[in-house]
């Protein structure tokens, strides 16, 4: 008899690669799934080894409660009772906002939706945010400001090899999303050109036709310098600017203040390279700009991304086939995670929490008075910084801020100062180890649910095996807590039932999922939002060439596959929207907005005491805070610990050899790791990966200075000094 395998998706990054899980003694094994178009069967080491975490030997299988300073096993009733008591005690003593909720970009759409509802309906707190604030919030803010809508990629990944030129800014795809590297290879094989912007000559930069290596924190000046040259060389698309944009005059004036020689002094990128980048970008008929954490995780990240968007708009490269601006989302459900309510300022469907009409719509779905819904709360770092003072009790799901947050030692201290901390996770992470109660929850292969990839493609993960005894789903956790806190109904444990409610709550919103069902996702290999159900509600019927949008939201945009008949499509037949903005942008008048921006320094520049720049990032064998990947032997063998990457000239000044322990010191703390000497990095810069706790914790050093719009911390640049450490 043939073994039946379960089609599903990888639990890690936002590619959400397709895979199949086949039963084997003691668990499942991963096999290729060539029918999924994103990865076409290819998987990185993390995806191949993901089942290793399903073993009871590496994951939590029983609730833990703190007794006498130690976490000890307990039953579920005791654990849930303790959490309910901890939350209700804080609320009674200090008010609803004394309860905080912190989510994660790896939670499914159903969990993110239920968590946001739990915070606002059960706890009545405004204090909810999630670690996705650290991922691409600056790109989201800039995209919304320019286009009226944020979706990481407004086109499928399959369009990338067909464009003429791609500028990839601050992304090392070869290590962060290895299966996506084929799109860059295919681009070049088809005659397109690749420009990579990165202060390091990464494995991705080695693939480029042109590598620009700016000083960390100067990506904004670089983009403005390129736009200056576009104008000076007469390469703007005046017809497009006139017909499809607004605000060009002020944005052009701001860019013209950044002449090439000035930009070279700021960035360190030679003027001839700037001119060559403009030529490569402007000569083809189609071109794209994709950004990632490099330009986004800065205290001016929104303006930086906005400058790259301005470059696209000025050259007519947004909202046209095979052209445009996009963002490479990092976390597995980084896109969906910020669409359905676990973000401080949003309601499901990417609605604004401050919009009275949106509040009425969602409140009606939830069966509550809209006036009872709290307003926007603190952003992620601000919420963590308020722990132990304004926020006294915290429920945390799927995040490990002890390792992943900026100024991590301070955040660890704030977590320790809480009156009560509860963590739901798969493993005993560094954050879970501080908790008063730890709940063991199901993993990707043990539960069904949806995620939304970096393309805006909603996908169905399927349950392939039963979880160990003693493990429950996050939905069961929220159901149990809601009941103990006086809300008996409204928190179902069946993910498909939760998704049905999410569909109703999102109907008519910018991220409209109302036309998406589990059956359709299984049959159609995912669907791109917006995907409205034309019969779902008055005012949401699709019109020729556009997706539906009621008057309470910005008009949505067009797709190649949008309905063409002048009649509503039947329920469940909207094809989804793989390509946005082809006819109009999601603004009131359908025009994209130029935003005038100017370069400004990083929040913390080098000085005599801290003369070197630190930038941080990932390595191929580890993921995010490493809480899961550091428990996989094969991945640990490939990347066993942190390191300090530095240029030979800096190493010579320090008298350091390969492997010598180095101390990297910032105004916030000290980290120690072995030296890795390479010419692939600028002499004024050092690099550390951020996956490890302990003395090599890179985020001990990073600066929590926040972007004023997105509230994104400045992970990517801070001032440090480097010293030899005692062996």
């Amino acid at each position: 008899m043939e073994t039946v395998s379960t089609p599903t998706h990888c639990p890690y990054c936002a590619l959400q690669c397709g895979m199949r899980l086949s039963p084997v003694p003691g668990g499942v094994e991963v096999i290729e799934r060539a029918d999924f178009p994103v990865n076409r069967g290819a998987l990185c080491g993390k995806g191949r080894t993901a089942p290793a975490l399903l073993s009871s030997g590496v994951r939590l299988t029983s609730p833990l409660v703190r007794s006498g300073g130690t976490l000890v096993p307990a039953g579920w009733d005791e654990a849930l009772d303790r959490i309910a008591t901890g939350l209700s005690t804080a609320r009674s003593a200090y008010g609803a906002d004394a309860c905080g909720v912190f989510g994660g970009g790896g939670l499914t759409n159903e969990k993110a939706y239920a968590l946001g509802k739990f915070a606002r309906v059960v706890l009545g707190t405004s204090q909810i945010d999630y670690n996705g604030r650290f991922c691409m919030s600056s790109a989201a803010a800039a995209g919304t400001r320019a286009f009226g809508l944020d979706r990481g990629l407004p086109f499928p990944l399959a369009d990338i090899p067909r464009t003429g030129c791609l500028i990839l800014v601050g992304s090392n795809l070869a290590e962060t999303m290895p299966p996506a590297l084929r799109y860059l290879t295919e681009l070049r094989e088809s005659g397109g050109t690749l420009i990579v912007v990165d202060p390091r000559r990464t494995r991705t930069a080695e693939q480029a036709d042109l590598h620009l290596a700016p000083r960390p924190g100067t990506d904004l000046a670089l983009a403005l310098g390129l736009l200056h040259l576009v104008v000076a060389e007469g390469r703007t698309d005046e017809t497009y600017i006139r017909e499809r944009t607004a605000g060009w005059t002020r944005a052009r004036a701001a860019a013209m203040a950044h002449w090439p020689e000035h930009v070279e002094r700021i960035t360190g990128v030679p003027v001839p390279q700037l001119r060559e980048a403009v030529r490569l970008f402007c000569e083809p008929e189609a071109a794209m700009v994709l950004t990632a954490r490099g330009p986004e995780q800065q205290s001016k990240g929104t303006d930086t991304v906005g400058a790259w968007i301005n470059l696209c708009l000025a050259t007519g490269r947004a909202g046209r086939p095979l052209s445009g601006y996009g963002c490479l989302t990092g976390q597995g459900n980084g896109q969906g995670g910020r669409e359905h309510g676990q973000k401080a300022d949003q309601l499901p469907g990417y609605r604004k929490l401050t919009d009275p009409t949106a509040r009425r719509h969602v409140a009606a779905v939830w069966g509550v008075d809209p006036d009872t819904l709290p307003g926007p709360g603190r952003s992620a770092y601000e919420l963590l910084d308020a722990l132990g003072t304004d926020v006294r009790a915290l429920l945390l799901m799927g995040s490990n801020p002890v390792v992943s947050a900026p100024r991590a030692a301070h955040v660890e201290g704030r977590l320790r100062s809480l009156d009560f901390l509860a963590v739901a996770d798969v493993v005993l992470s560094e954050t879970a180890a501080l908790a008063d109660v730890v709940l063991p929850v199901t993993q990707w292969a043990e539960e069904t649910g949806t995620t939304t990839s970096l393309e805006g493609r909603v996908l169905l993960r399927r349950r392939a095996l039963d979880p160990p005894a003693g493990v429950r789903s996050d939905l069961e956790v929220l159901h149990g807590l809601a009941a103990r806190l006086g809300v008996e109904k409204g928190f179902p444990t069946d993910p498909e039932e939760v998704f049905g409610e999410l569909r109703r709550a999102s109907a008519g919103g910018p991220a409209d999922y109302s036309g998406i069902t589990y059956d359709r996702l299984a049959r159609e290999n995912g669907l791109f939002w917006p995907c409205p159900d034309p019969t779902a509600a008055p005012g949401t019927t699709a019109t020729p060439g556009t997706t539906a949008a009621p008057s309470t939201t910005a008009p949505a945009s067009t797709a190649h596959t949008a309905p063409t008949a002048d009649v509503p499509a039947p329920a469940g037949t909207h094809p989804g929207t793989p390509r946005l903005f082809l006819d109009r942008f999601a603004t009131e008048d359908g025009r994209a907005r130029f935003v005038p921006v100017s370069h400004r320094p990083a929040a913390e520049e080098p000085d005599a005491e801290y003369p070197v720049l630190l930038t941080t990032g990932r390595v191929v064998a580890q993921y995010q805070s490493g809480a899961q990947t550091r428990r996989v032997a094969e991945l640990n063998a490939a990347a066993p610990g942190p390191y300090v990457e530095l240029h030979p000239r800096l190493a010579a000044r320090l008298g350091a050899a390969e492997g010598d322990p180095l101390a990297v010191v910032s105004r916030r703390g000290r980290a120690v790791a072995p030296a890795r000497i390479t010419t692939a990095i600028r002499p004024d810069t050092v690099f550390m990966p951020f996956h490890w706790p302990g003395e090599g914790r890179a985020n001990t050093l990073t600066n929590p200075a926040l972007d004023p719009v997105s509230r994104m911390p400045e992970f990517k640049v801070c001032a440090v000094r480097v010293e030899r450490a005692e062996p």
Side-chain angles (χ1 to χ4, degrees):
M1 178 193 270
E2 183 179 353
T3 300
V4 176
S5 62
T6 303
T8 189
H9 295 273
C10 178
Y12 290 113
C13 82
L15 282 181
Q16 287 297 279
C17 291
M19 59 170 60
R20 288 184 174 272
L21 296 180
S22 181
V24 295
V28 293
E29 68 175 354
V30 170
I31 58 177
E32 290 187 356
R33 181 183 168 191
D35 67 312
F36 187 62
V38 171
N39 62 307
R40 293 171 257 168
L43 293 168
C44 73
K46 294 186 291 291
R48 286 189 297 98
T49 61
L53 284 160
L54 300 169
S55 167
S56 59
V58 297
R59 51 95 59 87
L60 295 168
T61 56
S62 169
L64 304 174
V65 300
R66 193 162 294 280
S67 175
T70 303
L71 288 171
V72 298
W76 271 94
D77 284 341
E78 179 186 356
L80 292 173
D81 287 346
R82 283 205 189 192
I83 297 173
T85 299
L87 294 171
S88 60
T89 297
R91 185 173 57 180
S92 297
Y94 303 105
D97 277 357
C99 295
V101 177
F102 199 88
L107 300 180
T108 63
N109 290 317
E110 293 80 359
K111 295 177 188 179
Y113 172 83
L115 189 63
K117 180 181 179 183
F118 177 85
R120 296 180 174 104
V121 172
V122 178
L123 298 178
T125 182
S126 67
Q127 300 303 299
I128 175 172
D129 210 70
Y130 79 127
N131 64 13
R133 178 78 67 169
F134 302 156
C135 178
M136 59 169 289
S137 55
S138 292
T144 301
R145 198 161 67 173
F147 307 132
L149 183 70
D150 156 49
R151 196 180 83 186
L153 291 183
F155 42 74
L157 283 162
D159 284 359
I160 291 174
R162 301 164 60 202
T163 195
C165 178
L166 170 64
I167 301 180
L168 187 63
V169 189
S171 170
N172 184 11
L173 273 182
E175 301 219 31
T176 59
M177 298 178 176
L181 191 63
R182 70 169 56 191
Y183 292 102
L184 307 186
T185 302
E186 291 169 0
L187 166 69
R188 298 186 69 205
E189 289 174 348
S190 64
T193 55
L194 173 65
I195 301 170
V196 171
V197 179
D198 199 304
R200 304 165 62 221
R201 188 163 182 80
T202 63
R203 289 174 53 200
T204 306
E206 289 174 352
Q207 308 297 313
D209 297 281
L210 177 63
H211 172 214
L212 307 179
R215 182 175 177 269
T218 64
D219 307 84
L220 176 52
L222 178 63
L224 289 164
L226 297 181
L227 183 52
H228 176 110
L229 286 170
V230 164
V231 175
E233 295 177 5
R235 296 181 183 271
T236 56
D237 187 333
E238 295 297 328
T239 301
Y240 175 94
I241 291 170
R242 182 173 60 254
E243 294 179 351
R244 299 205 59 189
T245 72
W248 170 231
T249 301
R250 292 179 60 213
R252 178 179 57 197
M256 296 314 288
H258 298 76
W259 61 94
E261 292 75 14
H262 179 51
V263 169
E264 178 179 320
R265 287 194 294 273
I266 294 171
T267 65
V269 178
V271 171
Q273 289 190 6
L274 299 176
R275 295 189 185 278
E276 178 66 0
V278 168
R279 183 187 70 80
L280 292 174
F281 185 68
C282 292
E283 285 187 353
E285 182 178 349
M288 297 175 177
V289 172
L290 301 180
T291 66
R293 305 302 81 74
E296 298 163 18
Q297 288 181 328
Q298 298 185 28
S299 59
K300 52 183 181 295
T302 302
D303 284 356
T304 301
V305 173
W308 290 103
I309 291 174
N310 286 350
L311 179 66
C312 291
L313 294 176
T315 53
R317 304 307 177 92
R320 283 181 168 173
L322 308 181
S323 289
Y325 164 77
C327 170
L328 298 172
T329 308
Q331 295 191 77
N333 197 32
Q335 181 68 53
R338 67 180 179 280
E339 295 170 0
H340 298 299
Q342 66 171 333
K343 193 161 174 275
D345 57 352
Q346 285 176 347
L347 289 170
Y350 227 150
R351 287 181 159 93
K352 291 186 180 299
L353 189 53
T354 53
D355 179 353
T357 306
R359 292 169 66 88
R360 286 194 297 271
H361 173 88
V362 173
V365 173
W366 289 350
V368 300
D369 184 339
D371 291 338
T372 64
L373 297 179
R378 293 175 172 90
S379 70
Y381 179 78
E382 291 166 305
L383 174 56
L384 295 172
D385 191 41
L387 300 181
T389 53
D390 295 336
V391 177
R392 308 301 291 258
L394 182 70
L395 172 64
L396 185 146
M397 285 186 164
S399 186
N400 188 18
V402 165
V403 178
S404 64
R407 198 185 174 196
H410 172 75
V411 169
E412 180 178 346
R414 301 320 309 153
L415 285 160
R416 291 181 183 276
S417 72
L418 282 164
D419 295 349
F420 183 82
L421 172 62
V423 173
D425 210 333
V426 171
V427 297
L428 189 67
S429 69
E430 288 73 23
T431 303
L434 305 180
D436 297 286
V437 178
V438 182
L439 300 178
V441 290
T442 51
Q443 296 193 54
W444 57 289
E446 301 162 348
E447 59 188 12
T448 295
T450 62
T451 62
T452 306
S453 75
L454 78 171
E455 302 176 292
R457 189 196 302 251
V458 185
L459 301 164
L460 182 64
R461 286 187 190 165
R462 297 168 176 88
R463 178 170 172 158
L465 77 167
D466 294 333
V471 173
R472 297 184 184 180
S473 73
D474 295 276
L475 295 180
E476 291 174 312
V477 168
L478 294 174
H479 173 85
L481 290 176
R484 284 165 170 79
L485 292 166
V487 180
E488 298 286 344
K489 296 181 179 180
F491 290 88
T493 60
D494 174 40
E496 189 168 9
E497 185 178 349
V498 177
F499 189 75
E501 185 180 305
L502 181 157
R503 292 173 58 215
R504 296 192 299 276
S506 74
D512 190 334
Y513 283 31
S514 61
I516 301 174
T517 64
Y518 275 25
D519 285 344
R520 288 196 68 189
L521 293 177
R523 291 196 314 268
E524 301 177 45
N525 237 343
L527 286 160
F528 292 84
W529 70 259
C531 182
D533 180 347
T535 66
T540 60
T541 299
T543 54
T546 66
T547 53
S551 59
T552 59
T553 64
S557 23
T558 63
H560 283 318
T561 54
T564 55
D566 207 5
V567 292
T573 60
H574 189 284
T577 314
R579 295 172 181 87
L580 298 170
F581 312 139
L582 293 180
D583 291 342
R584 60 182 286 120
F585 294 96
T587 57
E588 187 174 349
D589 59 7
R591 292 173 174 265
R593 301 289 191 266
F594 282 100
V595 177
V597 295
S598 296
H599 175 71
R600 59 185 185 273
E604 186 176 84
E605 291 286 341
D607 57 20
E609 188 176 2
Y610 301 98
V612 177
L613 290 166
L614 168 70
T615 192
T616 62
R618 287 171 48 188
V619 298
V620 66
Q622 301 289 352
Y623 180 72
Q624 303 300 79
S625 75
Q628 296 183 45
T629 52
R630 285 186 275 111
R631 288 169 167 81
V632 178
E634 180 180 329
L635 301 179
N636 263 346
Y643 57 86
V644 180
E645 184 178 282
L646 72 164
H647 192 275
R649 297 213 306 254
L650 178 55
R653 289 202 300 272
L654 296 171
E658 182 77 11
D660 284 352
L662 295 179
V664 183
V665 184
S666 79
R667 290 176 173 85
R668 289 153 296 281
R670 182 176 187 265
V672 178
R676 183 173 294 183
I677 301 171
T678 174
T679 58
I681 193 167
R682 293 172 54 97
D684 58 3
T685 301
V686 295
F687 167 83
M688 291 187 70
F690 57 72
H691 309 290
W692 289 272
E695 70 170 4
R697 181 173 60 185
N699 278 320
T700 297
L701 309 168
T702 49
N703 191 354
L706 301 180
D707 179 283
V709 180
S710 69
R711 316 308 287 170
M712 166 81 86
E714 192 156 59
F715 287 98
K716 286 301 181 187
V717 54
C718 69
V720 298
R721 66 174 181 268
V722 185
E723 307 166 339
R724 294 194 56 167
E726 291 298 323

